[in-house]
Amino acid sequence: MTPDLHHKVTVQHLKRSAYLYIRQSTLRQVTNNTESTRRQYDLRRRAVALGWGEEQIVVIDSDQGQSGSSADRIGFQKLVSEVGMGHAGMVMGLEVSRLARNCTDWHRLLEICALSDTLILDEDGLYNPSNFNDRLLLGLKGTMSEAELHMLRSRLHGGLINKAKRGELRIPLPIGFIYDPKFQVVLDPDSQVQGAIRALFTTFRRVGSAIGTVKSFRKEKILFPHRVAVRTPRSINPIAWKDLEISAILRILKNPRYAGVYCYGRIRRYKNSDGREISQKRSPEDWHAWIPDAHAGYISQQEYEENRRRLAENARAAGLDHRSPPREGPALLQGIVLCAKCGRRMRVRYHSRVNRQLVPSYFCPRKVESTCQAIHGRPLDQAIGELLVELMTPMTLEVSLSVQQELEKRAEQAEQLRRKQVDRARYEMDLARQRFLQVDPNNRLVAATLEVEWNEKLKLLAVAEQEFERWCVEGLKSLDAEKKLKILSLVSDFSRLWNDPDTAARERKRMVRLLIEDVTLHRKGQEVTVRIRFKAGATRTLILKIPPSAAQIYRTDSRIIQQIDRLLDHHSEREIAQRFNDKGLISSRGRSYTASHIIALRGTYKLKSRFHRLRDRGYLRAKEVASKLGIPRKVIYLWRRQGLLQTHYYGDRLYLYEDPTVGTNATPEEVRDRLQAASTKRPRQSNRNEVQYEA
């Protein structure tokens, strides 16, 4: 040991512990590179030679198998905390890279060591971070360690990318592909796997949506292969057959390997501030490798691009190019209507009528003070349907034949997949039977287990055969001669089929999308200009009249309103309704008039009520008459029943009174006395069961 090293070690350092930090980057290095581990543990001898005792040396080796650039090293955090609390007199590491591979952790450790007067020892020497020269040297070593890690990663990453650009980098393959003995990508030789994947693309091409494909597979009870998430040889069967999931079909439709394209670099991975790995998808132009026709595929590259475009149209996110797949609603043009004013794709809103039918309307979702335009959907859908019937009449023969061929092709494909499921179940049953027959009969434990496995396979085979037989019966029934005749009848019966209420709305929408690219609407006043763009590029323009609204249809005749206004001068609402009914008049909705109906019309057209008309003439309430004459209100009711006061009826048992003091020269007291005298001369009427109303 050189004298210079002993000169840096003081009594204060020796009173504290010496911490030995041991780390290797991967578990493979820990297992195979044992000599490096032994060299790190040998640093304890250096600490003993400098004056520390064996009991003062603390070994921290809990970070074995972790990279020096990771931020979640428990052992390193413990080391930093011990140094910060002043418990460490010296920190030992074989190299600077063992302690940290990034400058942030390394310089933080140097600063804490300088504040707590802690020494640092590596294979080259002993350093005091509080000394400027030593700290400068340690800083350079930390920077070189981080740069070394960066260069190693750059070289490895550059080699991977260079190999991927040639298409020679072996990467995990999606379901349906395997590597042959020459490490070439080929289709999975399992015909059931190939059939299931081809059926997926065929169904998506027909249905047009991922969720529709999943529903079709589950309706037909067709299983789909999935990779088992374990690394096992192919002979142990790493493929599991389960129901098709929406996540699986999206991965397949978005993966260009199924179009025979070799690609690399679709996902960018990085770590955030918490140390967690984040995966982010790159755009295709940022991929590292794109090699078309690199191997056999299930679809063409053109079909792959078409599938991606259709998935983008089906996306639920709002946008200018939002085009949803055909759904269950009755709106015929759902998803293909454009606004001529702003260019956005118009949406559908449904209204429920009295007969519980859904009536569509198309509206523009632009966020302005008011809606850009909204158009009633029923006459528009009817006009489009009539146009398609007119155009499709010469083409129905070809359509009927293609429909028949499509149904037969789908039935044949489903039969092949189901037959392969039965064959696989039979193979697994035979394999279980062979295992049971080959076992030693004296080994009862193994024999019992294999017998149970054989019985389970027999049950699965029986279920698969029953499902196949049941489907065969239903499949033949669905394509019998009667159904084929119905398909051929489309030649002369397309109009009836289109207007048949049993035809699903989704099927009508699919027919429309086969012929029409989009429909642009422009409303101007009471007319709508409809520009139809067909798939082949042809266009057609229609001009439709806007149907009257419900308010316009059920508007009450102005002559009825005038009569109500005139009759309210002398009659109540109940009396007016009775007069209209006696004359045989009916409302705009074809019903008899009622008092509530007259009141509603009066409020709608802002007519003055009979009560206010009488008040304008100077008629008084009962409490006003009683206050003017200085008598109780019940006396006013009595005099009304006796006919001593002039009243005017304006509602259900509601009256207004003429002022008894008007037209006389007498004072209110004289009028009261005169009415009281007249009331005593008349017999009192029983009012025990009469309810009085405030007027």
Side-chain angles (χ1 to χ4, degrees):
M1 190 67 59
T2 62
D4 186 47
L5 295 183
H6 285 283
H7 176 72
K8 293 182 180 181
V9 179
T10 65
V11 177
Q12 296 298 328
H13 294 140
L14 295 175
K15 289 181 179 180
R16 292 176 282 175
S17 301
Y19 284 82
L20 174 59
Y21 183 78
I22 297 175
R23 184 192 63 80
Q24 286 185 282
S25 299
T26 63
L27 293 177
R28 183 176 180 180
Q29 292 179 0
V30 175
T31 305
N32 298 334
N33 301 344
T34 57
E35 192 63 31
S36 176
T37 305
R38 187 177 296 109
R39 289 177 60 199
Q40 295 184 61
Y41 278 106
D42 286 343
L43 288 177
R44 288 179 296 187
R45 300 178 183 177
R46 300 277 299 275
V48 173
L50 290 173
W52 274 271
E54 288 284 350
E55 68 281 357
Q56 290 182 286
I57 301 175
V58 180
V59 178
I60 299 177
D61 55 1
S62 57
D63 291 341
Q64 289 278 48
Q66 296 189 34
S67 173
S69 61
S70 59
D72 55 348
R73 291 181 293 155
I74 299 176
F76 182 77
Q77 295 174 4
K78 178 182 177 182
L79 174 65
V80 173
S81 63
E82 293 293 330
V83 173
M85 290 186 293
H87 298 164
M90 182 175 62
V91 174
M92 296 180 289
L94 185 63
E95 300 166 353
V96 170
S97 60
R98 302 298 174 185
L99 290 169
R101 277 284 194 177
N102 60 78
C103 290
T104 303
D105 293 342
W106 177 243
H107 285 282
R108 185 183 298 115
L109 178 62
L110 291 183
E111 184 177 358
I112 296 175
C113 288
L115 293 175
S116 61
D117 191 20
T118 302
L119 303 177
I120 295 179
L121 173 71
D122 65 3
E123 195 175 28
D124 296 331
L126 181 65
Y127 309 94
N128 187 356
S130 60
N131 182 275
F132 175 78
N133 292 329
D134 288 357
R135 187 167 181 173
L136 177 62
L137 181 58
L138 290 173
L140 291 174
K141 283 192 172 185
T143 303
M144 293 176 61
S145 176
E146 185 178 26
E148 179 187 11
L149 181 62
H150 172 73
M151 288 186 290
L152 289 174
R153 287 178 175 175
S154 299
R155 292 170 184 172
L156 293 174
H157 186 63
L160 289 177
I161 293 178
N162 192 40
K163 196 171 183 179
K165 288 181 178 179
R166 300 195 307 268
E168 298 177 359
L169 180 63
R170 290 184 58 191
I171 54 179
L173 297 175
I175 190 70
F177 296 97
I178 63 170
Y179 287 107
D180 64 3
K182 296 182 179 180
F183 301 110
Q184 299 295 323
V185 180
V186 296
L187 301 182
D188 196 315
D190 192 329
S191 59
Q192 186 180 2
V193 174
Q194 289 192 27
I197 295 176
R198 296 186 191 279
L200 183 146
F201 286 109
T202 304
T203 306
F204 180 78
R205 192 184 310 119
R206 172 174 53 86
V207 176
S209 66
I211 189 65
T213 305
V214 172
K215 290 180 179 179
S216 178
F217 266 66
R218 294 191 177 184
K219 181 180 179 181
E220 298 289 340
K221 295 184 178 180
I222 297 177
L223 302 179
F224 195 79
H226 294 74
R227 290 282 189 199
V228 178
V230 292
R231 295 183 178 181
T232 57
R234 179 57 196 267
S235 59
I236 307 181
N237 190 17
I239 294 179
W241 292 86
K242 302 183 295 184
D243 291 334
L244 181 61
E245 300 290 343
I246 185 67
S247 57
I249 184 175
L250 291 178
R251 285 196 305 269
I252 292 175
L253 293 174
K254 295 179 180 180
N255 195 335
R257 298 302 296 260
Y258 290 93
V261 177
Y262 180 91
C263 59
Y264 182 77
R266 294 192 301 159
I267 298 177
R268 171 178 172 261
R269 293 182 173 87
Y270 62 94
K271 292 185 178 181
N272 60 3
S273 58
D274 298 334
R276 294 181 299 176
E277 188 176 82
I278 305 298
S279 298
Q280 183 180 15
K281 293 183 178 179
R282 289 192 177 101
S283 57
E285 55 270 14
D286 295 333
W287 293 358
H288 297 309
W290 176 277
I291 305 176
D293 301 327
H295 54 79
Y298 289 89
I299 58 175
S300 63
Q301 189 172 346
Q302 181 180 1
E303 184 175 352
Y304 164 75
E305 298 293 343
E306 175 66 21
N307 293 342
R308 292 294 301 268
R309 184 189 65 80
R310 186 173 296 183
L311 287 176
E313 290 178 352
N314 295 348
R316 279 294 192 182
L320 296 178
D321 198 26
H322 171 61
R323 177 172 176 169
S324 58
R327 302 192 186 278
E328 296 79 5
L332 188 63
L333 304 179
Q334 167 248 321
I336 61 173
V337 182
L338 302 178
C339 177
K341 296 183 178 180
C342 64
R344 285 176 170 81
R345 200 171 294 275
M346 301 181 71
R347 297 182 181 177
V348 180
R349 181 186 291 121
Y350 290 103
H351 309 273
S352 179
R353 296 303 184 216
V354 179
N355 54 5
R356 294 186 178 181
Q357 289 185 351
L358 294 178
V359 178
S361 64
Y362 301 98
F363 72 98
C364 180
R366 187 174 63 163
K367 304 296 183 182
V368 291
E369 296 180 357
S370 60
T371 303
C372 190
Q373 62 176 352
I375 299 171
H376 196 278
R378 178 173 288 178
L380 178 60
D381 291 350
Q382 291 177 353
I384 296 296
E386 293 173 359
L387 177 62
L388 290 181
V389 170
E390 177 185 351
L391 295 177
M392 288 292 291
T393 302
M395 304 166 58
T396 49
L397 177 60
E398 181 180 355
V399 171
S400 62
L401 295 177
S402 63
V403 169
Q404 181 179 351
Q405 293 174 358
E406 177 67 19
L407 291 177
E408 291 178 351
K409 183 178 180 180
R410 286 165 52 185
E412 181 181 357
Q413 187 179 37
E415 180 183 0
Q416 292 178 357
L417 291 176
R418 291 178 180 274
R419 191 182 299 278
K420 290 175 181 178
Q421 290 181 7
V422 175
D423 294 341
R424 180 174 293 276
R426 184 177 291 109
Y427 166 75
E428 293 178 354
M429 186 275 299
D430 292 338
L431 187 61
R433 181 178 61 85
Q434 293 176 8
R435 291 175 180 172
F436 174 74
L437 294 178
Q438 293 175 359
V439 72
D440 186 1
N442 295 326
N443 194 347
R444 297 183 180 275
L445 296 177
V446 177
T449 302
L450 294 178
E451 185 179 7
V452 171
E453 181 182 354
W454 184 16
N455 291 332
E456 291 295 331
K457 298 299 181 181
L458 285 172
K459 292 178 182 179
L460 293 177
L461 176 61
V463 171
E465 290 178 343
Q466 291 176 2
E467 288 290 334
F468 179 73
E469 293 176 358
R470 181 184 60 80
W471 182 88
C472 287
V473 174
E474 294 179 357
L476 292 175
K477 190 183 299 183
S478 62
L479 287 176
D480 55 10
E482 182 179 357
K483 292 292 182 67
K484 293 182 178 180
L485 289 177
K486 287 184 178 180
I487 296 174
L488 292 175
S489 66
L490 291 175
V491 179
S492 58
D493 223 9
F494 183 80
S495 177
R496 185 180 63 83
L497 177 66
W498 178 267
N499 299 311
D500 188 356
D502 294 334
T503 303
R506 179 179 290 183
E507 299 301 328
R508 289 195 184 95
K509 296 178 185 180
R510 288 173 181 165
M511 293 186 226
V512 169
R513 295 194 177 200
L514 289 175
L515 299 174
I516 296 178
E517 182 66 28
D518 54 51
V519 177
T520 305
L521 304 180
H522 183 266
R523 178 172 180 173
K524 188 176 182 180
Q526 295 300 314
E527 290 185 347
V528 178
T529 303
V530 184
R531 295 184 179 87
I532 306 167
R533 185 162 63 99
F534 293 92
K535 290 286 187 179
T539 60
R540 181 72 67 91
T541 302
L542 302 177
I543 298 178
L544 304 178
K545 294 288 185 180
I546 296 293
S549 63
Q552 296 172 339
I553 295 175
Y554 298 114
R555 185 186 299 274
T556 304
D557 193 351
S558 59
R559 292 174 295 180
I560 297 294
I561 302 302
Q562 293 174 2
Q563 291 187 41
I564 294 174
D565 189 20
R566 186 176 64 256
L567 291 174
L568 280 173
D569 291 335
H570 307 284
H571 302 278
S572 66
E573 286 84 355
R574 186 180 298 277
E575 293 172 345
I576 295 174
Q578 186 61 41
R579 290 173 66 93
F580 284 175
N581 293 332
D582 293 341
K583 293 180 180 181
L585 299 178
I586 58 175
S587 66
S588 58
R589 295 181 180 270
R591 302 170 184 171
S592 301
Y593 283 97
T594 61
S596 60
H597 191 189
I598 300 298
I599 293 174
L601 290 175
R602 174 172 57 78
T604 301
Y605 291 93
K606 296 180 174 54
L607 302 180
K608 187 178 292 186
S609 65
R610 176 163 172 74
F611 171 80
H612 290 91
R613 293 168 191 257
L614 294 176
R615 292 288 286 177
D616 292 343
R617 297 178 193 174
Y619 297 154
L620 306 175
R621 297 173 181 265
K623 64 179 181 179
E624 295 173 343
V625 177
S627 176
K628 196 168 190 179
L629 298 179
I631 58 177
R633 195 184 306 178
K634 61 181 180 180
V635 178
I636 301 298
Y637 298 151
L638 175 62
W639 290 352
R640 177 182 60 79
R641 291 193 299 271
Q642 292 177 344
L644 299 177
L645 296 176
Q646 297 295 326
T647 61
H648 295 271
Y649 175 77
Y650 72 89
D652 190 10
R653 287 182 284 184
L654 298 173
Y655 300 88
L656 289 179
Y657 299 81
E658 293 184 6
D659 190 348
T661 62
V662 176
T664 63
N665 294 326
T667 62
E669 290 78 9
E670 293 175 348
V671 173
R672 179 191 62 196
D673 296 340
R674 179 172 53 81
L675 290 174
Q676 285 179 345
S679 176
T680 56
K681 295 179 182 180
R682 296 189 182 188
R684 293 178 64 88
Q685 298 179 4
S686 176
N687 60 346
R688 188 171 299 172
N689 297 325
E690 183 177 6
V691 179
Q692 301 297 337
Y693 288 85
E694 172 66 32

